[in-house]
């Protein structure tokens, strides 16, 4: 009996492992890991390639960053609307093919430019080389737009359908997706950086192109498997009317409709589909359609019950308190070495993963809305260290130095203004970003680098302690708002609402880089820290207002399995007026 029981338990364990590794959830994780790995390698490599191609100048990298941010800002709602109006499998496969094909084509063009740059510079007075630069930036921007569509359809739609009505499962899946993002953010740039260091840029381009070709085939297969294992993905409401019909059909116990019911539904659908086709669409209507979609998307976003929560998340992008080129460059001027900064980035990744674990635990204990409230308090409490660091010994804060002194100096001397990198590239472009910061501050304090070894490290230590610790609350809050959007935005508007959310994030991110351009000298960095903490605080005040309107007096109820309205706190925002 004992042997039979042991054998049965082993078979049961093996069977459960096989079931997990062949489940739609794991296949979705695997596909996301492949996609994210390729994205992070490309975002890191393209910035380095553009810097090296243009004679160690950041001009092309800055232009690429502005084009990417501007495109998502303007086209986010239109991309989301396209996601909403087409079938899930078509959207996922189309965006996957466009994204990877664009990266492969960019890699091939960059290889040609690296191999024949001298010859290209002499042809047509260098215009052919300039056209290659424009082509690379344009195709890379198309790849980023396709990546945005992939993110919206997989992380904001597919994952909700795969999780079904189980909100705890949805929270666990969101947290796992974010952990994959955290790991690939560190490991993928390291891997491709080693290849480029010990090989060459040409080898790096070839490796990335080959990886994306292989990854595209594997991801295509994984998407098809997930689609086949989840029949609900085949049913998608493209309008509010169709969504209400689908909900009514799901309530019915019978899996097959009666003949009369089927005829009635088909008849109603025929009227809804063919009625607009009786009128011919004019040319002016076609031209104005994208602008109408843009307007309707932002209006729909404003009317969402989770509007304040989405705005709160966007406000967190208006900050210099992250591991981007600005903060790491500032730390370098304060005497921290590259090895120390790399260790701090690793610690930041660990605390980010800890934040995803904290999110799942808080979600089970306190509910979704309270989780965001607690995460916001935790983040603000950690950022107090950053505020204190501004006034500690070693801080270069000097309010007597005009933040615009560097700009005036450059304009008078005829020098170009300092350029900065966008957030999606800056986290992986430490070297180029650090040089950018140093170049922008050299005209104001030329002897800072010589005396950086004697600068007290109390201020910068407190700064990074606050930044690293705040990642726990930051990523827990990010997951909270993500799931609020997933649960409370109707199926027919998930794409366009999340597209506008991406646009809002990019808008605030652009504003934060404009802020740095206006005050690039290290003496003004403390002021940037205070402004950043203020925007984070304003974001969490918006979320507090949202949570208060959603839960009312129950917001401060004790967390735990016995507390009332904990399990259904996120459903109430559907009926509340925000």
């Amino acid at each position: 009996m004992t042997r039979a029981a042991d054998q049965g338990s082993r078979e049961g364990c093996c069977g459960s492992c096989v079931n997990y590794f062949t489940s739609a959830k794991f296949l979705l994780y695997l596909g996301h890991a492949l996609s994210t790995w390729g994205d992070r390698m490309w975002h890191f490599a393209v910035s380095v390639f553009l810097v090296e191609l243009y004679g160690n100048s950041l001009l092309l990298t800055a232009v690429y960053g502005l084009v990417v941010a501007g495109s998502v800002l303007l086209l986010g709602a239109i991309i989301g609307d396209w996601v909403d109006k087409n079938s899930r499998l078509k959207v996922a496969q189309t965006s996957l093919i466009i994204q990877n094909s664009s990266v492969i084509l960019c890699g091939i063009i960059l290889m040609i430019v690296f191999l024949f740059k001298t010859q290209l510079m002499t042809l047509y007075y260098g215009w052919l080389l300039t056209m290659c630069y424009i082509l690379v930036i344009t195709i890379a921007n198309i790849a980023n737009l396709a990546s945005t569509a992939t993110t919206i359809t997989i992380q904001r739609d597919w994952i909700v359908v795969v999780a079904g009505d189980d909100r705890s499962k949805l929270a666990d899946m969101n947290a796992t997706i974010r952990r994959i993002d955290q790991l690939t953010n560190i490991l993928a740039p390291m891997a491709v950086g080693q290849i480029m260091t010990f090989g060459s840029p040409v080898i790096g381009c070839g490796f990335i192109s080959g990886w994306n070709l292989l990854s595209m085939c594997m991801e295509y297969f994984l998407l098809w498997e997930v689609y086949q294992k989840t029949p609900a993905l085949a049913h998608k409401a493209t309008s509010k009317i169709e969504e209400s019909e689908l909900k009514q059909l799901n309530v019915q116990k019978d899996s097959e409709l009666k003949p009369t019911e089927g005829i009635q539904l088909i008849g109603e659908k025929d009227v809804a589909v063919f009625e607009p086709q009786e009128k011919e669409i004019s040319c002016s209507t076609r031209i104005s359609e994208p602008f109408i979609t843009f307007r309707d998307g932002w209006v729909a976003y404003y009317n969402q019950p989770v509007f304040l929560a989405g705005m709160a998340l966007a406000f967190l992008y208006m900050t210099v308190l992250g591991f981007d080129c600005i903060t790491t460059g500032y730390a370098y001027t304060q005497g921290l070495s590259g090895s120390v900064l790399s260790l701090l980035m690793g610690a930041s990744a660990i605390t980010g993963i800890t934040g995803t674990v904290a999110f799942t635990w808080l979600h089970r204990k306190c509910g979704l809305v309270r989780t965001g409230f607690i995460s916001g308090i935790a983040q603000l409490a950690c950022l107090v260290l950053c505020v204190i660091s501004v006034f500690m010994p070693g801080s270069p804060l000097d309010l007597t130095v005009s933040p615009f002194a560097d700009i005036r100096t450059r304009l008078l001397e005829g020098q170009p203004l300092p350029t900065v990198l966008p957030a999606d590239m800056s986290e992986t472009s430490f070297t180029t970003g650090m040089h950018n910061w140093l170049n922008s501050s050299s005209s104001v304090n030329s002897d800072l680098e010589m005396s950086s070894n004697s600068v007290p490290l109390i201020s910068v230590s407190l700064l990074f302690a606050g930044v690293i610790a705040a990642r726990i609350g930051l990523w827990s809050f990010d997951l909270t708002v993500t799931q609020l959007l997933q649960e409370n935005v109707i199926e027919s508007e998930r794409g366009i609402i999340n597209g506008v959310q991406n646009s809002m994030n990019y808008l605030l991110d652009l504003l934060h880089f404009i802020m740095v351009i206006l005050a690039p000298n290290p003496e003004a960095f403390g002021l940037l820290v205070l402004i950043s903490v203020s925007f984070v605080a304003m974001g969490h005040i918006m979320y507090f207002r949202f949570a208060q309107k959603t839960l009312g007096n129950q917001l401060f109820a004790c967390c735990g399995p016995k507390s009332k309205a904990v399990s259904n706190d996120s459903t109430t925002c559907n009926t509340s007026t925000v």
Side-chain angles (χ1 to χ4, degrees):
M1 293 292 292
T2 305
R3 291 181 179 178
D6 292 340
Q7 185 176 1
S9 62
R10 291 176 182 176
E11 291 178 355
C13 182
C14 293
S16 60
C17 290
V18 171
N19 291 335
Y20 176 76
F21 287 117
T22 57
S23 64
K25 181 171 69 172
F26 177 78
L27 296 178
L28 197 65
Y29 294 156
L30 184 58
H32 178 71
L34 291 172
S35 176
T36 308
W37 186 276
D39 283 347
R40 298 300 180 266
M41 285 199 306
W42 171 246
H43 284 311
F44 171 80
V46 69
S47 59
V48 177
F49 291 154
L50 292 175
V51 169
E52 189 162 345
L53 281 175
Y54 207 68
N56 294 325
S57 171
L58 292 170
L59 178 61
L60 285 182
T61 310
V63 170
Y64 169 68
L66 291 176
V67 169
V68 166
S71 298
V72 177
L73 179 61
L74 295 176
L75 302 177
I78 298 173
I79 293 173
D81 184 64
W82 174 74
V83 171
D84 286 332
K85 291 182 177 179
N86 292 275
S87 65
R88 290 188 172 99
L89 187 60
K90 177 184 176 181
V91 169
Q93 291 178 341
T94 303
S95 56
L96 172 67
I97 293 174
I98 293 176
Q99 177 188 356
N100 287 273
S101 300
S102 299
V103 174
I104 293 170
L105 183 58
C106 269
I108 295 173
I109 296 174
L110 286 172
M111 289 175 65
I112 295 173
V113 173
F114 276 118
L115 290 173
F116 305 102
K117 183 179 179 180
T118 306
Q119 293 86 337
L120 291 173
M121 290 178 65
T122 59
L123 291 175
Y124 302 102
Y125 303 100
W127 282 105
L128 187 59
L129 183 61
T130 304
M131 288 302 299
C132 289
Y133 293 154
I134 296 174
L135 193 62
V136 167
I137 292 175
T138 302
I139 299 176
N141 183 45
I142 293 173
N144 185 75
L145 293 175
S147 176
T148 302
T150 302
T151 300
I152 292 174
T153 188
I154 299 298
Q155 298 186 33
R156 302 295 186 266
D157 187 29
W158 281 49
I159 191 173
V160 180
V161 179
V162 172
D165 296 328
D166 191 343
R167 293 180 177 176
S168 296
K169 182 179 179 181
L170 178 60
D172 292 336
M173 292 183 70
N174 283 327
T176 304
I177 291 292
R178 195 64 75 241
R179 289 169 199 148
I180 294 172
D181 292 340
Q182 291 289 320
L183 291 174
T184 53
N185 275 337
I186 300 297
L187 298 178
M190 290 174 58
V192 72
Q194 295 300 315
I195 294 172
M196 294 168 59
T197 300
F198 294 101
S200 66
V202 177
I203 295 176
C205 292
F207 176 79
I208 292 175
S209 297
W211 172 272
N212 278 270
L213 179 60
L214 179 63
S215 176
M216 179 175 62
C217 299
M218 295 179 65
E219 290 178 57
Y220 196 95
F221 170 75
L222 291 172
L223 285 175
W224 176 256
E225 285 295 315
V226 173
Y227 189 80
Q228 293 297 319
K229 291 178 179 292
T230 313
L233 289 172
H235 306 286
K236 181 179 180 180
T238 57
S239 66
K240 294 182 180 179
I241 298 176
E242 290 184 16
E243 185 166 359
S244 62
E245 290 178 356
L246 286 176
K247 288 182 178 179
Q248 292 175 1
L249 291 175
N250 291 332
V251 172
Q252 296 179 359
K253 295 182 179 180
D254 299 332
S255 59
E256 295 182 1
L257 295 173
K258 297 179 182 180
T260 56
E261 292 175 343
I263 294 172
Q264 184 178 0
L265 285 175
I266 293 173
E268 292 176 357
K269 213 168 198 179
D270 288 341
V271 173
V273 171
F274 290 102
E275 197 171 330
Q277 294 182 357
E278 295 178 0
K279 300 180 180 179
E280 294 184 359
I281 301 177
S282 62
C283 182
S284 60
T285 303
R286 292 181 184 275
I287 295 174
S288 61
E289 185 175 357
F291 299 97
I292 296 174
T293 301
F294 179 85
R295 181 203 62 191
D296 293 344
W298 284 87
V299 171
Y301 177 76
Y302 175 77
N303 291 327
Q304 291 299 312
V306 291
F307 165 71
L308 286 178
M311 285 293 294
L313 178 62
F315 265 61
L316 301 191
Y317 282 77
M318 180 68 176
T319 178
V320 296
L321 301 175
F323 279 88
D324 56 10
C325 62
I326 299 165
T327 308
T328 51
Y330 167 77
Y332 186 79
T333 65
Q334 298 304 297
L336 296 186
S337 63
S339 60
V340 173
L341 285 172
S342 64
L343 293 175
L344 293 176
M345 291 182 69
S348 172
I350 294 174
T351 54
I353 295 174
T354 305
T356 64
V357 177
F359 165 75
T360 55
W361 184 81
L362 287 172
H363 179 265
R364 286 194 297 267
K365 295 292 183 180
C366 304
L368 187 59
V369 175
R370 290 187 188 88
T371 297
F373 178 67
I374 296 171
S375 302
I377 294 177
Q379 184 185 8
L380 285 174
C382 294
L383 291 181
V384 171
L385 293 175
C386 299
V387 175
I388 296 175
S389 72
V390 175
F391 307 99
M392 295 299 291
S395 173
L397 178 66
D398 187 358
L399 297 180
T400 61
V401 177
S402 172
F404 308 104
D406 185 66
I407 295 179
R408 289 200 303 266
T409 302
R410 288 177 178 270
L411 290 176
L412 291 175
E413 296 179 358
Q415 299 178 8
L417 293 178
T419 54
V420 291
L421 305 179
D424 60 338
M425 293 161 49
S426 56
E427 291 185 359
T428 57
S429 282
F430 166 70
T431 303
T432 55
M434 183 174 59
H435 288 161
N436 175 38
W437 178 272
L438 292 176
N439 291 334
S440 66
S441 60
S442 59
S443 62
V444 177
N445 196 359
S446 59
D447 61 340
L448 181 61
E449 185 176 355
M450 297 175 60
S451 62
S452 60
N453 293 328
S454 62
V455 174
L457 298 179
I458 298 176
S459 175
V460 71
S461 299
L462 284 175
L463 174 69
F464 277 94
V467 170
I468 292 173
R471 309 287 281 188
I472 298 176
L474 170 65
W475 287 111
S476 180
F477 183 80
D478 176 84
L479 286 169
T480 299
V481 177
T482 297
Q483 187 156 340
L484 283 171
L485 290 170
Q486 289 170 336
E487 292 183 359
N488 295 284
V489 176
I490 61 175
E491 183 180 352
S492 60
E493 292 183 348
R494 280 178 192 158
I496 194 168
I497 297 302
N498 283 283
V500 175
Q501 181 65 52
N502 285 344
S503 299
M504 279 298 305
N505 297 344
Y506 269 92
L507 175 61
L508 270 297
D509 190 52
L510 275 177
L511 291 179
H512 119 260
F513 278 110
I514 293 173
M515 177 179 68
V516 177
I517 291 175
L518 294 177
N521 48 329
E523 289 83 0
F525 187 80
L527 184 61
L528 300 184
V529 170
L530 298 179
I531 294 175
S532 299
V533 174
S534 300
F535 269 86
V536 173
M538 284 190 288
H540 288 303
I541 290 172
M542 291 185 203
Y543 185 85
F544 172 74
R545 181 59 177 163
F546 159 77
Q548 190 180 40
K549 286 194 172 186
T550 302
L551 297 181
N553 296 330
Q554 296 179 350
L555 175 61
F556 300 100
C558 294
C559 296
K562 293 184 180 180
S563 61
K564 297 181 180 179
V566 167
S567 60
N568 61 347
D569 63 351
S570 60
T571 59
T572 55
C573 34
N574 286 322
T575 57
S576 65
T577 303
V578 177

